[in-house]
Amino acid sequence: MSADNQQERLSYYVAGYVDGEGSFHVAIQKTANVRLGYQVIPEFHVSQNPERASVLRMIQKLLQCGYIKDNHRLKTSDRSQVLVVRNRRDLLSKVIPFFHHYPLLSSKQQDFEKFAEIVEDMRQNKHLIKSGLKKIIVKAFSMNNKGQYRQLKLDDILNNLESSETVRQARS
């Protein structure tokens, strides 16, 4: 078997593995030190039990980015580890092109497509204007079980964005 064929097989294996054990997530954090009050943090995750963490190192090597850490440091019952890629440049130049070339086969592909759109919108600085940020947040909340596990609620964020703009305009 040629090296190219082995690399191709490995890439398809990784795509399938991520389809089962990975996620494309966009965190939304309330942050006082950004102009609109909310920070958008796109993240790619793949998790595994420590006995098989070599798979995470292999994926990290293949994608040439990310870091591996304990998945839930505060939960002693969860010993799993996770490969995390948060660097937007790496997401744009390595992770997203990889999964465009080796697409997922489950409904997780739809989350990936939304994730890729959000990261591209951020590359275009759309998250720095209110209308763009609102669209990104709505799209992020439509991913991964429609935001049911998020701490912040979509309506609260959108209302807060509107009311903070009204307050700023009233002060002017």
Side-chain angles (χ1 to χ4, degrees), residues 28-53:
I28 310 295
Q29 292 183 342
K30 189 164 178 51
T31 308
N33 62 350
V34 295
R35 190 172 68 83
L36 295 173
Y38 290 93
Q39 185 176 17
V40 178
I41 305 166
E43 305 172 317
F44 165 65
H45 293 199
V46 187
S47 59
Q48 183 52 267
N49 293 325
E51 307 82 60
R52 293 185 290 278

Side-chain angles (χ1 to χ4, degrees), residues 23-28 41-45 115 140 143-144 150:
S23 70
F24 301 92
H25 175 70
V26 180
I28 310 295
I41 305 166
E43 305 172 317
F44 165 65
H45 293 199
F115 177 85
M143 298 169 59
N144 306 321
R150 291 183 179 269

Side-chain angles (χ1 to χ4, degrees), residues 37-104:
Y38 290 93
Q39 185 176 17
V40 178
I41 305 166
E43 305 172 317
F44 165 65
H45 293 199
V46 187
S47 59
Q48 183 52 267
N49 293 325
E51 307 82 60
R52 293 185 290 278
S54 60
V55 175
L56 298 179
R57 291 188 294 277
M58 186 235 349
I59 295 170
Q60 182 183 37
K61 183 178 177 183
L62 178 69
L63 295 176
Q64 299 179 339
C65 61
Y67 59 92
I68 298 171
K69 67 178 188 89
D70 291 339
N71 198 14
H72 293 286
R73 286 175 279 181
L74 302 178
K75 275 179 146 179
T76 55
S77 62
D78 184 351
R79 296 180 29 247
S80 65
Q81 294 192 306
V82 63
L83 168 64
V84 178
V85 181
R86 278 189 173 176
N87 180 291
R88 250 190 292 156
R89 202 170 307 119
D90 287 340
L91 292 170
L92 282 165
S93 66
K94 298 172 182 174
V95 174
I96 291 171
F98 179 87
F99 289 102
H100 276 308
H101 194 264
Y102 301 98
L104 306 173

Side-chain angles (χ1 to χ4, degrees), residues 125-138:
N125 292 324
K126 292 181 180 179
H127 63 297
L128 301 178
I129 57 172
K130 186 170 66 164
S131 62
L133 178 61
K134 287 167 79 172
K135 286 178 185 173
I136 287 171
I137 290 171
V138 168

